[in-house]
Amino acid sequence: MKLSMTDNGQQDQWVRPFLKKYKGLLMLAIFLGFLTFFSAGALMFNSGYLISRAASLPENILLIYIPIVLTRAFGISRPVFRYVERLVSHNWVLKMTSDLRLKLYRILEKDAMFLKSNYQTGDILGLLSEDINHLQNLYLRTIFPMIIAGLLYVVIVIGLGFFSWWFALCMLLLLGVTVVLLPILSVLVNGARQERQKGTKNQLYKILTDNILGVSDWVFSQRGSEFVLSYEEKEKELREIDGEIKKFDRRRDVVFQLFFGMIALAVLIWAGTRFPGNHGGAANWIAAFVLTVFPLIDAFAPLSDAAQETTIYKDSISRLNELPEVEGAKEAAASNPNSTKIEARQLTFTYQNASRTVLSNLSLEIPEKEKLAILGRSGSGKSTLASLIRGDLQPTQGEMLIGGVPADQLGDSITEYIGVIQQKPYLFHTTILNNLRIGKESASEEEVWHVLELVGLKKMVQQLPDGLQTMVDEAGLRFSGGERHRLALARILLQDTPVVLLDEPTTGLDPITEQKLLTTFFDVLEDKTIIWITHHLQSVQKMDRIIFIEDGQLMMSGTPEELMTGNRHFQMLYRIDQGLN
Ligand code: ATP
Ligand code: MG
């Protein structure tokens, strides 16, 4: 039974690779699942034999003693196998989905780092919770039962083959209908209906939200009833599709039961001819074979529904497969940087899905401990340059080196070299202490108080009733924009990276707070490289060098004094900036 997971022909990165992982556990889960049904069948087989044997007055008590022991053994082993199988398969699925989530976080983290997010928060939540849950269900409810049923199917047919090849062939066909034909038919018939059902449901949601928002317009134009009518029509359509799906399910289930009835009858007839006799002797086997048929219903009945559900999972899987790949090899650094000098060599960068070149042939050297301001119009590529420095993006051409090593090859160890403060630093809903220890997990409370003092928050935190244990964002306690930035700075100080990248760290603050914050930043980061991306010129005179990016290139570059005295364009910008503030 082949499940077509991806329609678009692209390599599946989310289902098959993970089936290979934890292979041992997976095999064990499937084997235990098989044993559960095997025990159930064996129990009935034994019981059937035992009943007939007991009824036919056995000449020796041992003849029924062994079946009694076996009945007990299979009676106990069935629930035990089932229980252990549940434990193993859920363990496997949880391990696997935790890996899937990790993979997803890695992809999204890269995307979120510089807020160049291609996905909206809602999508991300959807991806995290729904799609991965769908995958989880796909394994537990579809793939496992199908493999187990497939195994049983093969074992039954081969097992019967030992008694009579023609009857094995007959079962191959009859069981084949329930294991192969009905599931395929379900996917074909109801798959398309489910697709339509989903489409109509989405449309309904859209119509409803649109119209609720604009409900007053409908009412004022006295066309309210028209709207209700059109809505009801769509709803009716949905109900009809629902009805069709259920009708098909019911009919299919009847056919399934009929087939199993036929299978039971066929086994009865076959066993009757194979083990002739009125009672006693070979005839004892008849009930054994016939009764074995019934527990198998449990294994085969859910298959059609399970196969049908693959339509629901297909969306999730293709959505996951559309995400960009992260290279697994990025964990380990290729080699260690020999310094923290940053160097862009004839760097050109174009976003994959865009035609415009953002940076073209840009060369730039940032020596250790330099204080560099990067200016430029909105959209000129400043944040893109920052992402390239942090190794989150790969140059299209040319190189971006940190201490001689390409930034994108540093992988996760980049966090030892470069710290980032964003426009809106994110604080997590946990204690102040935990929020700061993100920078350095092992930081002692003394270290934390020290950095809080450096960023000018010690007093404020001391005055809080719970001090460092105060929950951030707890009702009534909100940090102001400036305080958030200071906390972010404290984090970076704990992280103690030699390079700190500030991407417009003060946007949205009032000029006085901004001024104070920048002073703190530059004071405490004195002995580090600072790369400061900014829109306006306030405080730029504190920098060693200022560069302007325009049309993907360095337009101006020089010390503040040089630019101030020798560059008319800069003087003009400076005047405008001062005037605007
Ligand atoms: P601002 O000052 O507004 O923050 P910026 O100088 O930081 O602007 P970037 O964010 O680097 O500008 O963007 C440079 C150009 O690249 C813009 O034209 C932007 O539309 C484009 N761009 C940014 N991110 C992506 C992306 N993920 N895919 C395609 N194009 C992008
Ligand atoms: Mg930017």
Side-chain angles (χ1 to χ4, degrees):
M1 224 166 317
K2 193 172 170 334
L3 293 174
S4 77
M5 300 292 182
T6 42
D7 282 348
N8 38 14
Q10 99 201 70
Q11 193 66 28
D12 165 53
Q13 293 295 339
W14 289 83
V15 179
R16 255 161 265 175
F18 287 89
L19 282 175
K20 290 195 190 120
K21 224 172 166 183
Y22 310 120
K23 224 196 230 155
L25 261 186
L26 176 68
M27 297 288 187
L28 184 63
I30 289 171
F31 183 60
L32 285 167
F34 171 78
L35 282 184
T36 308
F37 285 109
F38 183 81
S39 297
L43 176 66
M44 291 310 268
F45 187 87
N46 240 296
S47 311
Y49 180 80
L50 181 63
I51 294 165
S52 317
R53 191 86 221 188
S56 65
L57 207 81
E59 52 277 15
N60 186 339
I61 192 69
L62 269 183
L63 283 178
I64 57 167
Y65 187 69
I66 293 168
I68 287 177
V69 173
L70 282 177
T71 305
R72 244 185 236 160
F74 287 125
I76 295 168
S77 71
R78 195 192 73 94
V80 169
F81 281 138
R82 175 141 215 96
Y83 180 67
V84 181
E85 183 258 336
R86 283 286 144 100
L87 284 185
V88 174
S89 65
H90 281 70
N91 181 19
W92 179 83
V93 161
L94 290 178
K95 265 191 177 168
M96 205 237 357
T97 42
S98 110
D99 283 356
L100 286 176
R101 289 215 159 86
L102 197 66
K103 177 172 167 160
L104 188 58
Y105 278 124
R106 290 229 167 98
I107 293 172
L108 295 176
E109 185 202 23
K110 268 175 84 82
D111 197 69
M113 208 57 218
F114 281 91
L115 299 178
K116 57 185 164 60
S117 196
N118 292 316
Y119 305 97
Q120 291 172 346
T121 323
D123 292 340
I124 295 175
L125 291 178
L127 280 169
L128 283 176
S129 62
E130 297 228 330
D131 291 346
I132 301 253
N133 280 350
H134 275 164
L135 279 192
Q136 206 164 315
N137 282 340
L138 174 70
Y139 287 114
L140 287 176
R141 307 223 322 233
T142 306
I143 296 185
F144 284 1
M146 279 186 169
I147 296 178
I148 291 168
L151 264 177
L152 279 172
Y153 179 43
V154 172
V155 170
I156 291 169
V157 171
I158 292 178
L160 286 175
F162 283 107
F163 292 95
S164 110
W165 67 266
W166 69 264
F167 188 62
L169 202 68
C170 175
M171 279 299 124
L172 181 80
L173 294 176
L174 282 174
L175 278 176
V177 172
T178 64
V179 182
V180 184
L181 205 64
L182 285 179
I184 290 181
L185 196 69
S186 295
V187 174
L188 290 180
V189 177
N190 269 355
R193 285 190 184 132
Q194 271 168 337
E195 203 75 20
R196 240 184 337 133
Q197 184 187 34
K198 214 162 40 187
T200 321
K201 230 182 228 165
N202 283 344
Q203 254 178 336
L204 264 182
Y205 283 143
K206 227 164 85 193
I207 297 178
L208 192 64
T209 36
D210 258 11
N211 286 309
I212 295 276
L213 292 173
V215 72
S216 51
D217 291 340
W218 281 104
V219 174
F220 289 143
S221 60
Q222 302 197 326
R223 287 168 59 204
S225 54
E226 199 180 308
F227 156 64
V228 173
L229 218 66
S230 78
Y231 184 81
E232 279 177 349
E233 225 161 77
K234 265 263 168 283
E235 220 177 28
K236 197 167 141 231
E237 200 180 309
L238 185 64
R239 270 203 308 276
E240 274 166 10
I241 301 174
D242 257 356
E244 280 170 23
I245 291 178
K246 292 215 177 88
K247 199 158 100 190
F248 175 82
D249 283 353
R250 274 197 305 275
R251 286 186 179 165
R252 184 200 60 205
D253 289 348
V254 169
V255 172
F256 176 86
Q257 298 294 347
L258 274 178
F259 259 89
F260 249 89
M262 273 161 64
I263 288 169
L265 202 65
V267 173
L268 182 66
I269 294 169
W270 168 76
T273 51
R274 179 75 175 66
F275 306 104
N278 278 336
H279 55 78
N284 289 332
W285 293 101
I286 299 176
F289 276 95
V290 177
L291 286 181
T292 311
V293 172
F294 295 98
L296 294 178
I297 296 180
D298 286 343
F300 296 128
L303 290 186
S304 296
D305 270 336
Q308 203 167 298
E309 279 185 23
T310 51
T311 348
I312 307 171
Y313 307 137
K314 224 165 57 186
D315 266 3
S316 295
I317 294 170
S318 52
R319 218 177 1 240
L320 286 168
N321 273 318
E322 272 160 24
L323 288 171
E325 266 296 288
V326 278
E327 302 94 76
K330 285 193 75 179
E331 313 269 307
S335 56
N336 286 329
N338 52 23
S339 70
T340 52
K341 186 175 90 171
I342 295 169
E343 194 179 354
R345 286 192 193 150
Q346 295 170 343
L347 180 101
T348 298
F349 183 79
T350 313
Y351 279 101
Q352 257 171 10
N353 45 359
S355 54
R356 194 171 74 92
T357 302
V358 181
L359 300 171
S360 68
N361 214 8
L362 182 136
S363 292
L364 172 70
E365 230 178 85
I366 312 174
E368 278 185 40
K369 300 192 182 179
E370 186 178 50
K371 313 284 176 280
L372 175 76
I374 301 180
L375 285 104
R377 254 184 266 195
S378 184
S380 56
K382 304 182 295 295
S383 299
T384 307
L385 183 62
S387 301
L388 284 159
I389 293 176
R390 223 189 146 271
D392 286 330
L393 294 174
Q394 255 180 343
T396 315
Q397 267 168 36
E399 286 180 304
M400 171 61 81
L401 304 172
I402 296 177
V405 178
D408 59 312
Q409 279 177 22
L410 281 171
D412 286 347
S413 62
I414 191 91
T415 50
E416 292 164 30
Y417 303 98
I418 299 181
V420 184
I421 297 183
Q422 306 275 354
Q423 194 171 336
K424 283 193 189 131
Y426 190 77
L427 297 179
F428 293 90
H429 180 69
T430 171
T431 59
I432 295 181
L433 188 65
N434 286 340
N435 261 293
L436 294 180
R437 275 188 179 155
I438 290 169
K440 180 184 173 188
E441 268 177 70
S442 59
S444 66
E445 292 208 8
E446 283 75 47
E447 279 177 87
V448 172
W449 280 117
H450 175 66
V451 292
L452 279 175
E453 184 167 19
L454 287 177
V455 301
L457 283 180
K458 189 175 178 185
K459 246 195 177 148
M460 179 223 162
V461 177
Q462 271 172 342
Q463 280 164 3
L464 295 169
D466 293 332
L468 285 177
Q469 298 300 334
T470 310
M471 289 295 284
V472 171
D473 252 350
E474 202 177 75
L477 187 86
R478 288 270 158 81
F479 286 94
S480 72
E483 287 157 357
R484 276 170 187 271
H485 282 92
R486 283 174 196 275
L487 285 173
L489 179 62
R491 231 185 238 169
I492 295 286
L493 290 175
L494 276 181
Q495 200 180 339
D496 198 26
T497 53
V499 180
V500 176
L501 230 162
L502 308 166
D503 192 351
E504 305 192 47
T506 54
T507 333
L509 302 179
D510 66 86
I512 295 171
T513 312
E514 177 174 19
Q515 190 59 55
K516 274 195 195 153
L517 194 63
L518 286 174
T519 312
T520 314
F521 276 6
F522 299 144
D523 281 351
V524 299
L525 299 175
E526 181 69 57
D527 60 343
K528 298 181 189 299
T529 308
I530 300 182
I531 302 169
W532 175 33
I533 296 171
T534 177
H535 262 313
H536 47 198
L537 300 173
Q538 193 176 14
S539 296
V540 287
Q541 60 281 4
K542 290 200 181 128
M543 299 281 104
D544 298 331
R545 184 155 63 120
I546 302 171
I547 60 170
F548 274 83
I549 296 183
E550 178 126 12
D551 297 329
Q553 310 222 305
L554 289 194
M555 210 236 321
M556 275 191 267
S557 164
T559 64
E561 294 78 33
E562 277 168 11
L563 294 177
M564 208 50 192
T565 51
N567 193 310
R568 288 193 42 212
H569 190 66
F570 183 79
Q571 290 161 1
M572 194 180 75
L573 282 175
Y574 192 76
R575 276 197 303 278
I576 296 175
D577 197 66
Q578 294 298 304
L580 285 178
N581 275 319

